[in-house]
Amino acid sequence: MPIFRKIFLAAFLGLALAPILHAAPSVTAVLNSDETEIDRPVQLQIKVTGDANAAQPNEPAIDGLEIHYTGESREFQLNGFTATSSLVFTYTILPEKAGTYHIPPLAVRTSGGEMRTEALTLNVSPDENGATTSSRPRGNRGIDTSRLIFAELVVPKTTAYIGETVPAEIRLGFDPHVHPQLSDGPTITGQGFTTQRMPQPKQSFETINGRSYQVLTFKTAIAAARSGKFQIGPVEAKAVVQLPRRPGGNLSPHDLFGMNDPFSDPFFNDPFAGMIEQREVAVKSQSVTLDVKPLPPHAPPSFAGAVGNFTLTSDVKPKTAQIGDPLTITATITGRGNFDRVTAPELENDRGWHTYPPSADFKPDDDVGLSGTKTFEMVLTPNEQKKAVPPLIFSYFDPLKNSYVTLKSDRMPVVVEGGIAPTATPAIAANSPARPPTAATTSPQNEDILYQLTDQPHWGQTFAPVFSQPVFWAAQGVPLLGLIGFFGWKTRQRRLADREAQRVAAWEHESAELQKKLRRADDPPDEYFAGALRVLQLKTALARRIEPNNVDADAVVAAFDLSDEKRSQVRELFRHSDELRYSGRQNPGAPISGATQREVLDLLDHLS
């Protein structure tokens, strides 16, 4: 029996739902009354049958009628084996002038295409006093929404350094009875700083001054691009809320138009006691003043703009290799700060090593990336036998200590073998072989003379060769040491010159490649402007022989003879690039326009 009941029920549901699944959508429009008077509302309903996903029609704009969308509902009817499902859109029409109004056909988008309702006619007569126009305020313009909605910008500190990331919170509070829906924002207005991407807000309910609010909390971080005092904010946002409106323009003693507490209005206890009007309202917070200080001078050579507090660890693999084999150094920087300016650490001494550009991976520990871990992998090959990889150097500015900090990792032991071992320099013999003595041959006839010449004791020692005396070799060592020092100094100067030439050649090559890429203009805006900014830094570094990472807008302007217009373009390029890099807004994927590309390329061509 249970099996037969299931089969019967399935057949019954199939017959009942078949008209729903196969019926074509239909649209109708109806007024609950086609006769009314000034300030007496009527209701317009648009019913869509056979399509549960139909889109809400737009409110028609008719002079003399105030029309507002008030909600939707669903109807389901079963007549025998025929079932129908309908979606009903409801609008409230409040007449403001007497006359005859024609409501045009309204377009409704359904799965079967766009459909239109039939035209309707509404006759509006004067009110009981004979007035032909409404005397009430239009809409809810008189409502003070400051007690229903609020916005706050919370910045925990009022002083910071250039590049320092300062956490910030945006709090939007709504009375839960108004059913808020954000339509725009929130955004922080102002210039001279950038904001991090905002994640999804956290929602909570709080009681403030005895009133309940639905609070949305957004987290972000602020970083200033230059020194000075800046006004952060205000925060601006827009939301669609539902507000009450009394029929006929008669205001209750507790109405929102008055001075009484809006939270005690009967509307909030029974929202169907009056009419509901959807309204977009703007909310704005107070601004916050941030005093931004410049970074101190005399930054370490390895400083690239990192501000915060960090630690450095490193490791190398493999531990043994042959000359020319690649080694991989893993450098891990952990802490809190502006990780977008944390660059790969440098070798303390790269003599005998060939290095390659590193890769980077960042894993945040919070929602906005204020703290986390950035891991670099650097590949290098030894050019000679080595016993260890030199320590890594990384510098940053600590705003708590108000000073620069340079981190230095430990030496990483390795065994690099191969190549031809240098031959030992043969040692010079310390003692020369003694000259064999020669026997003196005397003849009897000159024996007396020889006796006179060798009569003094040790007379023959005064005739020892000069080169056998220690004083002679000591005197010869002075110019030899000077010659060795001179050649050492020249060799070091040559190496420094070669290293500088290699750096300049690398900068020129990188600049040329980036300019080729900019002319194609196939990158998204954030990458395109980052590349243009890098070209500015490289050209300035080539002109002034400074590190490209230390170049800012002022350095570019000072390095080249530019017009006021070009100087403004340089500063705007720095500002716009930083905004795209730090902003929480989604960058569009469309390529750069031709006009923007020509303007950027023209600016770069002027730097010579």
Side-chain angles (χ1 to χ4, degrees), residues 283-333:
V283 58
K284 182 183 293 187
S285 73
Q286 299 292 329
S287 60
V288 176
T289 301
L290 184 64
D291 186 8
V292 181
K293 298 179 290 186
L295 295 176
H298 310 300
S302 58
F303 177 71
V307 179
N309 186 272
F310 306 96
T311 59
L312 171 64
T313 59
S314 62
D315 189 22
V316 62
K317 292 182 180 179
K319 304 295 184 181
T320 60
Q322 296 291 319
I323 292 177
D325 290 347
L327 301 176
T328 301
I329 297 179
T330 302
T332 304
I333 297 178

Side-chain angles (χ1 to χ4, degrees), residues 127-378:
D127 62 11
E128 58 185 10
N129 297 323
T132 58
T133 58
S134 175
S135 59
R136 64 172 182 81
R138 180 177 174 84
N140 272 329
R141 294 175 184 171
I143 295 180
D144 180 13
T145 59
S146 62
R147 305 182 72 182
L148 302 175
I149 306 171
F150 71 85
E152 290 180 347
L153 173 62
V154 181
V155 180
K157 56 189 305 184
T158 57
T159 60
Y161 285 93
I162 293 178
E164 180 183 358
T165 52
V166 179
E169 281 190 359
I170 298 173
R171 288 164 45 87
L172 301 180
F174 303 88
D175 176 76
H177 296 91
V178 300
H179 304 290
Q181 292 183 347
L182 283 179
S183 58
D184 187 15
T187 57
I188 303 178
T189 61
Q191 295 181 349
F193 62 91
T194 57
T195 57
Q196 296 282 41
R197 177 185 61 86
M198 295 184 192
Q200 290 296 322
K202 294 183 179 179
Q203 180 176 324
S204 62
F205 288 90
E206 301 181 15
T207 300
I208 302 175
N209 296 328
R211 298 186 175 95
S212 297
Y213 288 93
Q214 176 186 352
V215 180
L216 300 178
T217 303
F218 299 82
K219 291 186 177 182
T220 185
I222 299 170
R226 60 179 187 271
S227 61
K229 288 190 176 182
F230 300 95
Q231 291 296 319
I232 309 299
V235 172
E236 296 180 354
K238 291 182 180 179
V240 176
V241 298
Q242 295 183 2
L243 298 176
R245 181 175 56 199
R246 301 294 173 230
N250 298 320
L251 307 182
S252 70
H254 300 284
D255 198 86
L256 296 180
F257 293 100
M259 298 300 292
N260 296 322
D261 185 359
F263 295 90
S264 63
D265 192 279
F267 164 78
F268 291 105
N269 297 321
D270 182 10
F272 298 100
M275 293 187 302
I276 301 174
E277 175 185 348
Q278 284 191 335
R279 177 181 170 193
E280 185 178 66
V281 295
V283 58
K284 182 183 293 187
S285 73
Q286 299 292 329
S287 60
V288 176
T289 301
L290 184 64
D291 186 8
V292 181
K293 298 179 290 186
L295 295 176
H298 310 300
S302 58
F303 177 71
V307 179
N309 186 272
F310 306 96
T311 59
L312 171 64
T313 59
S314 62
D315 189 22
V316 62
K317 292 182 180 179
K319 304 295 184 181
T320 60
Q322 296 291 319
I323 292 177
D325 290 347
L327 301 176
T328 301
I329 297 179
T330 302
T332 304
I333 297 178
T334 304
R336 181 181 178 88
N338 56 346
F339 274 95
D340 56 286
R341 294 296 181 93
V342 173
T343 57
E346 304 174 355
L347 289 176
E348 183 183 36
N349 182 8
D350 60 358
R351 177 181 172 275
W353 298 94
H354 183 75
T355 60
Y356 297 88
S359 63
D361 179 57
F362 176 61
K363 293 183 179 180
D365 291 338
D366 53 40
D367 295 335
V368 294
L370 281 175
S371 59
T373 300
K374 197 166 188 178
T375 304
F376 298 92
E377 286 192 351
M378 298 176 286

Side-chain angles (χ1 to χ4, degrees), residues 300 302-303 306 308-310 393-399 401-408:
S302 58
F303 177 71
N309 186 272
F310 306 96
I393 300 296
F394 173 73
S395 297
Y396 67 92
F397 179 78
D398 190 337
K401 298 180 180 179
N402 299 326
S403 62
Y404 294 98
V405 178
T406 298
L407 301 178
K408 182 177 179 181

Side-chain angles (χ1 to χ4, degrees), residues 413-589:
V414 295
V415 176
V416 178
E417 299 176 341
I420 302 175
T423 59
T425 303
I428 301 175
N431 298 318
S432 300
R435 179 178 300 176
T438 59
T441 58
T442 60
S443 60
Q445 61 267 21
N446 58 8
E447 183 178 357
D448 55 340
I449 300 175
L450 290 175
Y451 176 77
Q452 295 177 4
L453 293 175
T454 60
D455 184 51
Q456 297 296 329
H458 309 295
W459 181 273
Q461 294 182 5
T462 59
F463 291 91
V466 177
F467 61 83
S468 66
Q469 301 296 324
V471 178
F472 172 80
W473 291 110
Q476 297 301 317
V478 173
L480 179 62
L481 291 176
L483 184 62
I484 293 174
F486 173 76
F487 280 109
W489 176 77
K490 292 294 291 183
T491 301
R492 184 175 182 275
Q493 292 296 109
R494 189 180 302 109
R495 289 180 178 176
L496 292 177
D498 291 343
R499 186 178 300 176
E500 181 66 19
Q502 291 176 1
R503 292 175 61 193
V504 170
W507 293 345
E508 291 176 346
H509 176 73
E510 183 182 0
S511 177
E513 291 299 320
L514 283 175
Q515 291 184 77
K516 291 179 183 178
K517 192 175 182 181
L518 293 175
R519 294 186 188 281
R520 293 195 299 268
D522 52 2
D523 288 334
D526 56 342
E527 296 182 13
Y528 186 87
F529 283 101
L533 179 62
R534 181 62 178 173
V535 173
L536 285 181
Q537 293 177 321
L538 290 170
K539 285 180 173 288
T540 305
L542 290 170
R544 292 296 181 91
R545 293 296 189 269
I546 59 178
E547 280 294 326
N549 293 332
N550 295 335
V551 174
D552 56 9
D554 293 335
V556 177
V557 171
F560 300 97
D561 185 15
L562 301 175
S563 62
D564 292 341
E565 179 184 359
K566 296 300 179 184
R567 293 182 179 183
S568 300
Q569 291 179 356
V570 168
R571 300 184 189 279
E572 178 62 22
L573 180 58
F574 270 83
R575 186 199 66 79
H576 191 56
S577 177
D578 287 342
E579 180 179 353
L580 289 175
R581 185 191 310 176
Y582 301 123
S583 175
R585 303 173 182 172
Q586 294 291 333
N587 295 325

Side-chain angles (χ1 to χ4, degrees), residues 29 31 42 44 60 62 65 67 93 101-106 117-122:
L31 293 169
V42 296
L44 168 65
I62 302 175
L65 299 179
I67 304 177
I93 302 177
Y101 296 92
H102 298 281
I103 301 175
L106 302 179
T117 65
E118 62 271 21
L120 302 174
T121 300
L122 177 63

